[in-house]
Amino acid sequence: MHRRILAGDRLIAAFLTGCALFNYPLLSLFDRPTEVFDMPVLYAYIFAAWALVIALMAWAVERPFK
Amino acid sequence: MSKKILIADDEQNIVISIEFLLRREGFEVLIAGDGEEALAKVRAEKPDLVLLDVMMPKMNGFDVCQAMRADPELSATRILMLTAKGRDTEVSKGLGLGADGYMTKPFSTKELLAEVRKLLEM
Amino acid sequence: MLEAPVVIAASLLYLGLLFAAAWWGDRRADQGRSIIANPTIYALSMAVYCTTWTFYGSVGRAAVSGIGFLPVYLGPTLVMSLGWIVLLKMIRIVKANRITSIADFISSRYGKSHGLGGLVTIIAVVGIIPYIALQLKAVSSTVSLLLSYPEIVMPHRSATIPVVADLSFYIALILAAFTIVFGTRHLDATERHEGMVAAIALESGVKLVAFLAVGIFVTYGIYDGFGDIFDHAAAQPQLQHLMTATPSGTGYSSWFSLIILSGLAVLFLPRQFQVAVVENVNEAHLKRAVWLFPLYLLLINIFVLPIALGGLMHFAGQGVDADTFVLTLPMSQRQEGLVLLVFVGGLSAATGMVIVETIALSTMVCNDLVMPMLLRHKRAALDESKDVSGLLLNIRRGAIVAILLLGYLYFRLAGEAYALVAIGLISFSAVAQFAPALIGGMYWRGGTRGGALAGLSAGFAVWGYTLLLPSFAKSGWLPGDFLTQGLFGVELLRPQQLFGLTGLDGISHCLFWSFLANIGAYVGVSLVRPPMVAEATQATLFVDALSESGQGGAVLWRGRAQVNDLQELVGRFLGPARAQTAFAAFARRQGGSGSSGSSGDGRPEADAKLVQFAESLLAGAIGSASARVMVASVAKEEPLSIEEVMHILDEASQLRTYSRELERKSRELTAATLELQAANERLQELDRVKDDIMSSVTHELRTPLTSIRAFSELLRDDPKMHLADRERFLGLIVGETERLTRLINQTLDLAKIESGRADWNGCELDLKEVIEQSIAAISQLVREKEAHVEVDLPDNLPLILADRDRLIQVMLNLLSNAVKFLKPGSGRIRVTLALLADGLEVGVADNGPGIRPEDQQLVFEKFRQVGDTMTAKPSGTGLGLPISRRIVEHFGGRLWVESVAGEGATFRFTLPFAVVQQPAAVVPEAGTGGSLS
């Protein structure tokens, strides 16, 4: 029971994190014509944030709680 | 011929008092200070009666009683258990092991003599 | 090598592989060894979300709008993070109520309404058929592209190919066959298709591999990695806008709308509902899907922008459609194997979507459109037929063929029209209309059938007006001035600037107005009247699905029905054999016949539970609304009032609460019993200890009393006793009384210490002084034994904290013990005092007989005197050492003995310093070797 509540809370946190990262205005901070790691900064940012949110979700549901 | 009685007790003063009492009444008295000594003297001297204290060093009175009753040669020897622990279980345990009588400390000297005489059928 | 026979053979081979996978999946399911009972397969099956619209279309979108293709995948990612909450609830509801489609879900929620189910089905069919058409178009276009190989010719005039020569037509027919074979094997109360899911998971794997292969080929084969592509692109000014968000003012609002829209679509597209909810075999699989499905989406999108940029640069000015870059780039490089792999990947994206969507739609069409019509117009025929399960299956098969043919027809008619190209998002917008009624129904009890009907209708109408009709107009099927002038020339009614709203793109514009209308009507109409019985009942079942109080148990039916009638009814739809099995299984579970008594003619009468069971069986086959109607035809239901329903639900929930409470109480009771048992055992143990002590004390008291009484009686009975005997006996009597007094005092003393009521006068002491005082006190005894006492007591040692009188008591006890066992004349006692790290250690050594190792612990037990012979029988009470040990321990020290039998004994004790130098060292370690502790 406890586990489920915690997993749920973590997923909601991941959801809210994603909502913030994937939308205006955070998105606009990276909307500029420069490059990082040989790719447009916006493109790099979205994929990095995306991977982060997925990692958060995996952590939320798969990692056993102590 | 006077009857032979063994007193087995580790309390010196009790031995002294009973020894005095029995000698005065004309019995032959032997003394043992622990259970092993008592059993050895019973086998060696074949007393008519053993006054057996329960709480003794090396071998307690119950064990001595049991060993005596297991020995057919000692079947004629009477056993009177003496103990300071007067609980019913102790009494029945002694009698169950083959003791002929049982007295609780402290006892009256008259009663002790009466019991001794009864057991020796005098 | 890419001639027509090769392409056709590859397509057929691939479809054959699908048949094999599905056949294997079904076989394993029949054997009870499901291969889809696996979280990874479940997550892969969800990737049916990625159609040709993703496989080919993402690159097309990226070539126009840069990162604009991404929100369609970010939305599902976000929704999946809520999947644990929302999807889990949907799965629970679906399983508990044997719901088989999204139309059934909504219909069931609002009182098992035929009307609602039908409306949802119509919306789904209208919204989805063009989407199916899009898949067929993709197949058709790619086939014609391949056939022109090695030339790259855009298939703009595909409609000129006659139907009989069109490969996509045959593919549609094969897909219909596949869907019929694996989607309608039998009417199942759960409506699950394991073989189909296995095939879909396989397809998801194939399309991902194919897309990644193209991506790697373009990025690392044609170009030299990501950096190279972006560097080349950076040099081309016309590509700059692809590197940033859409420059127009609507960029972020459009982005935001797409995230919402795709997030809703991933839940409510019929195919997503089918694989994620209906086909779910184990809700624990959701756990992995929550992150694995988004990861799939991320992977399949990594190479989209590089391929788009690569294609734009490679085919600059050649008029190659960006939607085809995935295929045309490898074609241009003569990579025939890769081209074929991509074609198969695209085929798998198309077929996967078409198969699942068709199954889902055919179930809805059969259960929510055809069945209600049959019930209304052909009721007599239905009632007469013994077994209509065949009819039902045929309806579904017909629906499958009809849907696929409609899709093909739409594709042929629409061709290259805008209405087809934009259909992905138009479809998403259509199914998004389910959101208010469905999500509202899961979380809000107040929603009513009227509200849901109003909301859905309003939303659907606005969607049609603001999105579908404009797409028709843009395709030239409607007069264009309808767009610019508004309906009937009223400007306010311009479909894409409704009521003058501007500044939003078409999708956001539709989303806003349709949701405003939809939610407004849903909530508004729902609030007009309170929910009716059927609505309130279902609302409770849905809203409370996750809470324990919402799970089963409540029987919401009252009336009379006969077991035979019910079984016959179920048998008509599921087949008599299946009905027989199901009823028998139910009876076994219930531990009885499922009947309660019998009616007048001796036939067994069904109880409410059995009626509900029969209805749920039927619901799985013909939908919940039709099931309700059919059951009502054989059962005389006495309607429940809303108060009664609420009462039953309350009662069931109270019962569950009560039984949980009982369980908790009984657990507590068990725990309490165990505790009591333990406490009792402790008490008995204490009792036993107390008994032992009492028995020991009694024994120790009776022993001196025995001597005293015996001597006294001897003296009394014999007045003429010798004077010497008389004096000797009197002396012994006095000695025994002293022993008695000592015994009583020490017993009380020990009892006081043990019970913690002893008075302790702790003060800082010079231990040396205490020892000297004690030795002085015992000197008389020592002289009597003609013994010798040596002392080794250093000066100026630190003070210790203790009670002076108590310490003297300990020292006197140890010294007198030592003296007692000494041989007269040759005895020696040595008293030492030594400094330890954290305290002082005192030793009292004698050269007496010593203590055997096995007795060294016993001497510290109460009444345990150790002696060999009568002469060695100690005259003490057997309490001195136990008391001494307790005193030393009270002041934080230890007392122990070291001895070798025959060579004397040394008693030692330690005491900590008064001022604690090392705070942690409360109990000091033994300072010297040979510790006995």
Side-chain angles (χ1 to χ4, degrees):
Chain A
M1 199 62 200
H2 185 67
R3 189 197 144 96
R4 170 158 297 175
I5 288 169
L6 191 51
D9 288 355
R10 285 177 172 181
L11 284 169
I12 290 173
F15 172 73
L16 295 174
T17 308
C19 287
L21 291 179
F22 295 154
N23 278 304
Y24 182 85
L26 278 185
L27 207 56
S28 70
L29 299 182
F30 299 88
D31 189 11
R32 54 190 71 214
T34 47
E35 292 200 351
V36 286
F37 307 121
D38 293 335
M39 54 185 89
V41 65
L42 185 64
Y43 185 71
Y45 164 75
I46 290 177
F47 275 91
W50 197 355
L52 172 76
V53 170
I54 292 173
L56 272 178
M57 287 154 66
W59 171 72
V61 294
E62 297 285 355
R63 240 187 99 100
F65 302 99
K66 293 287 174 193
Chain B
M1 189 190 156
S2 65
K3 300 279 186 181
K4 203 193 288 182
I5 301 175
L6 174 69
I7 305 169
D9 201 323
D10 62 336
E11 273 290 328
Q12 218 175 342
N13 290 344
I14 292 175
V15 173
I16 292 170
S17 61
I18 300 176
E19 183 189 4
F20 186 90
L21 176 73
L22 294 179
R23 283 193 198 285
R24 196 182 65 189
E25 298 298 319
F27 295 103
E28 192 185 336
V29 178
L30 302 167
I31 290 166
D34 62 60
E36 284 176 5
E37 190 187 351
L39 197 56
K41 286 203 169 161
V42 167
R43 295 210 160 107
E45 307 279 343
K46 302 270 173 1
D48 299 288
L49 171 69
V50 182
L51 301 183
L52 195 56
D53 182 30
V54 173
M55 295 279 284
M56 281 187 297
K58 290 187 178 173
M59 195 172 173
N60 72 36
F62 293 130
D63 293 340
V64 175
C65 178
Q66 199 170 13
M68 284 175 64
R69 285 300 171 243
D71 187 342
E73 285 185 37
L74 301 176
S75 57
T77 307
R78 317 264 87 183
I79 298 172
L80 177 58
M81 304 281 298
L82 302 176
T83 186
K85 292 187 177 176
R87 284 186 298 194
D88 292 345
T89 51
E90 306 254 334
V91 175
S92 51
K93 184 176 175 186
L95 296 178
L97 287 172
D100 300 287
Y102 205 102
M103 292 204 78
T104 306
K105 294 174 178 180
F107 42 77
S108 125
T109 47
K110 280 183 187 146
E111 280 171 20
L112 179 66
L113 277 178
E115 188 70 19
V116 166
R117 290 207 170 92
K118 193 186 100 192
L119 289 178
L120 293 174
E121 290 160 2
M122 288 165 68
Chain C
M1 86 174 238
L2 293 177
E3 292 84 14
V6 179
V7 174
I8 291 169
S11 310
L12 292 181
L13 260 178
Y14 177 69
L15 291 171
L17 183 67
L18 279 194
F19 271 83
W23 177 81
W24 185 52
D26 268 343
R27 213 173 91 98
R28 289 284 294 256
D30 291 344
Q31 291 168 350
R33 298 184 299 148
S34 171
I35 49 163
I36 72 159
N38 174 312
T40 303
I41 301 237
Y42 176 63
L44 277 178
S45 72
M46 279 189 179
V48 74
Y49 180 74
C50 298
T51 64
T52 57
W53 196 55
T54 297
F55 195 85
Y56 295 116
S58 278
V59 169
R61 279 182 75 81
V64 176
S65 67
I67 60 161
F69 69 98
L70 276 175
V72 174
Y73 307 96
L74 296 176
T77 300
L78 292 178
V79 164
M80 284 312 285
S81 64
L82 294 181
W84 188 255
I85 300 151
V86 180
L87 269 179
L88 181 69
K89 190 165 189 176
M90 284 164 72
I91 290 171
R92 286 265 174 89
I93 293 170
V94 159
K95 288 187 175 167
N97 299 282
R98 295 193 196 239
I99 286 166
T100 54
S101 68
I102 198 160
D104 205 17
F105 193 101
I106 293 176
S107 146
S108 175
R109 162 61 182 87
Y110 297 98
K112 307 189 179 179
S113 149
H114 270 144
L116 257 180
L119 178 59
V120 171
T121 303
I122 289 168
I123 295 176
V125 169
V126 170
I128 299 301
I129 286 205
Y131 204 173
I132 292 175
L134 181 68
Q135 308 305 314
L136 298 175
K137 169 182 182 291
V139 172
S140 169
S141 306
T142 50
V143 167
S144 74
L145 259 173
L146 283 189
L147 293 182
S148 63
Y149 181 86
E151 298 294 309
I152 294 174
V153 179
M154 285 301 105
H156 287 304
R157 300 274 69 87
S158 61
T160 54
I161 302 170
V163 169
V164 284
D166 186 358
L167 183 59
S168 58
F169 174 69
Y170 295 104
I171 286 177
L173 289 185
I174 293 174
L175 288 181
F178 179 96
T179 313
I180 286 169
V181 171
F182 294 103
T184 59
R185 287 172 75 214
H186 45 67
L187 276 174
D188 201 332
T190 54
E191 206 54 49
R192 279 219 289 267
H193 316 86
E194 299 220 347
M196 189 263 301
V197 172
I200 295 307
L202 174 75
E203 299 209 282
S204 292
V206 169
K207 66 193 178 204
L208 180 61
V209 167
F211 197 86
L212 288 178
V214 187
I216 290 168
F217 171 72
V218 171
T219 311
Y220 296 97
I222 301 183
Y223 291 88
D224 191 14
F226 283 92
D228 191 37
I229 290 190
F230 287 120
D231 283 347
H232 276 87
Q236 309 217 11
Q238 78 276 13
L239 297 182
Q240 283 315 298
H241 73 280
L242 300 182
M243 310 300 179
T244 56
T246 323
S248 76
T250 64
Y252 290 118
S253 69
S254 159
W255 177 279
F256 183 65
S257 310
L258 287 184
I259 285 186
I260 292 184
L261 206 52
S262 58
L264 294 175
V266 84
L267 291 175
F268 303 140
L269 278 170
R271 66 174 186 279
Q272 296 303 127
F273 189 87
Q274 184 77 25
V275 291
V277 181
V278 178
E279 304 283 354
N280 173 284
V281 287
N282 181 347
E283 61 188 44
H285 292 170
L286 202 50
K287 215 169 76 173
R288 188 171 301 169
V290 158
W291 59 270
L292 194 55
F293 172 50
L295 186 62
Y296 183 102
L297 296 179
L298 186 150
L299 288 177
I300 208 167
N301 278 299
I302 281 184
F303 291 107
V304 168
L305 196 55
I307 295 174
L309 292 174
L312 284 174
M313 293 186 286
H314 192 87
F315 297 118
Q318 297 179 20
V320 176
D321 188 350
D323 279 342
T324 67
F325 283 171
V326 178
L327 197 60
T328 48
L329 273 172
M331 279 171 75
S332 73
Q333 302 295 311
R334 301 287 193 268
Q335 295 287 326
E336 300 184 350
L338 184 60
V339 169
L340 213 51
L341 176 64
V342 170
F343 170 71
V344 168
L347 189 61
S348 72
T351 51
M353 181 278 181
V354 171
I355 290 168
V356 185
E357 209 79 90
T358 310
I359 287 186
L361 285 181
S362 74
T363 307
M364 285 157 69
V365 167
C366 169
N367 288 357
D368 295 284
L369 279 182
V370 180
M371 269 310 289
M373 277 191 269
L374 284 181
L375 282 178
R376 183 161 303 171
H377 302 296
K378 303 277 182 198
R379 183 58 176 278
L382 267 188
D383 286 348
E384 274 168 27
S385 173
K386 274 282 171 229
D387 183 354
V388 294
S389 58
L391 172 68
L392 275 176
L393 284 177
N394 285 332
I395 293 174
R396 287 192 192 190
R397 289 169 186 149
I400 287 169
V401 174
I403 289 163
L404 275 168
L405 287 180
L406 273 175
Y408 183 76
L409 194 64
Y410 191 88
F411 146 63
R412 293 292 296 200
L413 291 178
E416 289 304 307
Y418 173 86
L420 188 50
V421 178
I423 193 58
L425 288 177
I426 295 177
S427 272
F428 280 20
S429 304
V431 296
Q433 302 308 322
F434 301 151
L438 205 147
I439 294 185
M442 278 165 62
Y443 294 96
W444 181 42
R445 286 167 210 272
T448 64
R449 191 176 66 92
L453 270 173
L456 280 169
S457 310
F460 183 52
V462 173
W463 167 81
Y465 187 68
T466 61
L467 212 51
L468 191 65
L469 292 187
S471 83
F472 288 173
K474 286 176 187 172
S475 306
W477 304 342
L478 288 173
D481 54 358
F482 151 75
L483 280 183
T484 52
Q485 311 290 316
L487 194 60
F488 314 123
V490 181
E491 279 228 352
L492 280 181
L493 293 182
R494 281 183 304 173
Q496 297 203 296
Q497 290 88 31
L498 198 59
F499 305 122
L501 180 68
T502 54
L504 289 175
D505 63 288
I507 296 294
S508 305
H509 176 266
C510 164
L511 189 68
F512 170 75
W513 283 120
S514 64
F515 266 39
L516 187 69
N518 190 331
I519 298 175
Y522 171 63
V523 175
V525 174
S526 289
L527 291 177
V528 168
R529 61 162 177 80
M532 292 189 306
V533 182
E535 292 161 341
T537 307
Q538 293 300 102
T540 304
L541 291 181
F542 277 52
V543 174
D544 294 337
L546 283 186
S547 71
E548 289 169 63
S549 59
Q551 303 263 317
V555 177
L556 295 166
W557 192 85
R558 187 175 58 194
R560 296 161 66 83
Q562 282 162 359
V563 176
N564 296 349
D565 292 347
L566 282 170
Q567 188 171 333
E568 196 186 319
L569 174 69
V570 173
R572 289 221 305 274
F573 291 94
L574 290 181
R578 290 173 77 87
Q580 169 72 37
T581 316
F583 272 65
F586 179 81
R588 269 198 306 282
R589 274 204 304 283
Q590 295 295 312
S593 63
S595 64
S596 61
S598 58
S599 58
D601 54 4
R603 292 163 42 149
E605 192 152 302
D607 64 10
K609 271 187 189 161
L610 182 63
V611 175
Q612 279 204 332
F613 173 71
E615 188 177 325
S616 77
L617 276 180
L618 280 181
I622 60 172
S624 45
S626 303
R628 160 78 27 115
V629 172
M630 290 314 299
V631 166
S633 71
V634 298
K636 282 197 202 68
E637 181 172 3
E638 299 161 26
L640 294 164
S641 72
I642 189 147
E643 285 78 16
E644 284 172 305
V645 168
M646 288 302 137
H647 180 70
I648 292 172
L649 287 173
D650 272 359
E651 213 167 54
S653 131
Q654 271 170 13
L655 260 178
R656 276 185 294 273
T657 313
Y658 184 61
S659 89
R660 269 200 306 282
E661 189 71 5
L662 262 182
E663 264 172 43
R664 197 173 58 74
K665 280 264 164 59
S666 110
R667 272 198 303 278
E668 284 174 0
L669 257 180
T670 313
T673 309
L674 284 176
E675 262 171 47
L676 256 179
Q677 222 166 8
N680 198 27
E681 273 162 20
R682 265 204 314 282
L683 260 180
Q684 280 177 346
E685 174 70 9
L686 280 178
D687 252 13
R688 210 172 48 73
V689 171
K690 205 177 83 191
D691 236 30
D692 280 356
I693 289 170
M694 281 306 293
S695 162
S696 297
V697 170
T698 312
H699 181 266
E700 295 305 313
L701 287 172
R702 282 167 191 263
T703 301
L705 277 174
T706 307
S707 305
I708 291 169
R709 182 168 183 184
F711 287 128
S712 307
E713 288 185 4
L714 286 173
L715 288 168
R716 183 192 64 197
D717 296 344
D718 188 359
K720 296 178 203 127
M721 192 185 286
H722 290 298
L723 195 62
D725 284 338
R726 187 180 290 258
E727 281 181 350
R728 182 168 146 241
F729 290 172
L730 284 171
L732 290 174
I733 291 174
V734 171
E736 291 287 5
T737 54
E738 281 170 357
R739 182 177 161 191
L740 262 181
T741 312
R742 216 165 41 239
L743 182 71
I744 291 166
N745 287 341
Q746 291 198 339
T747 306
L748 291 176
D749 196 20
L750 188 61
K752 255 161 84 179
I753 293 176
E754 287 190 335
S755 64
R757 288 196 302 265
D759 297 325
W760 304 93
N761 300 309
C763 61
E764 297 191 348
L765 293 177
D766 181 356
L767 198 48
K768 183 183 177 193
E769 188 200 322
V770 172
I771 294 172
E772 283 170 342
Q773 201 180 341
S774 308
I775 294 175
I778 205 136
S779 56
Q780 177 64 30
L781 271 176
V782 175
R783 267 197 299 282
E784 282 173 11
K785 273 273 175 100
E786 296 169 45
H788 178 66
V789 178
E790 289 170 25
V791 293
D792 178 7
L793 306 171
D795 286 318
N796 298 324
L797 290 174
L799 302 181
I800 50 100
L801 184 72
D803 182 315
R804 174 183 292 272
D805 295 343
R806 287 294 188 183
L807 266 196
I808 290 177
Q809 187 183 350
V810 172
M811 279 310 296
L812 283 179
N813 179 259
L814 296 183
L815 287 168
S816 62
N817 271 353
V819 172
K820 205 186 301 175
F821 290 101
L822 288 180
K823 274 187 207 144
S826 62
R828 275 194 303 120
I829 295 172
R830 182 179 160 78
V831 182
T832 57
L833 182 57
L835 182 66
L836 304 179
D838 46 8
L840 299 178
E841 181 186 282
V842 181
V844 178
D846 64 58
N847 62 345
I851 304 170
R852 292 178 302 178
E854 61 265 35
D855 292 333
Q856 286 175 6
Q857 280 304 305
L858 292 182
V859 295
F860 294 103
E861 288 178 18
K862 293 169 213 166
F863 304 115
R864 292 303 279 270
Q865 289 160 307
V866 176
D868 278 355
T869 62
M870 254 179 74
T871 49
K873 174 83 182 180
S875 56
T877 57
L879 290 175
L881 283 174
I883 291 175
S884 298
R885 177 172 261 189
R886 276 177 177 73
I887 291 170
V888 170
E889 284 171 353
H890 180 84
F891 291 109
R894 297 192 318 116
L895 169 62
W896 72 98
V897 66
E898 298 162 5
S899 174
V900 176
E903 293 176 22
T906 304
F907 282 85
R908 294 184 195 278
F909 67 88
T910 59
L911 286 169
F913 297 130
V915 180
V916 178
Q917 288 164 343
Q918 290 165 299
V922 178
V923 179
E925 290 296 309
T928 56
S931 161
L932 287 171
S933 60

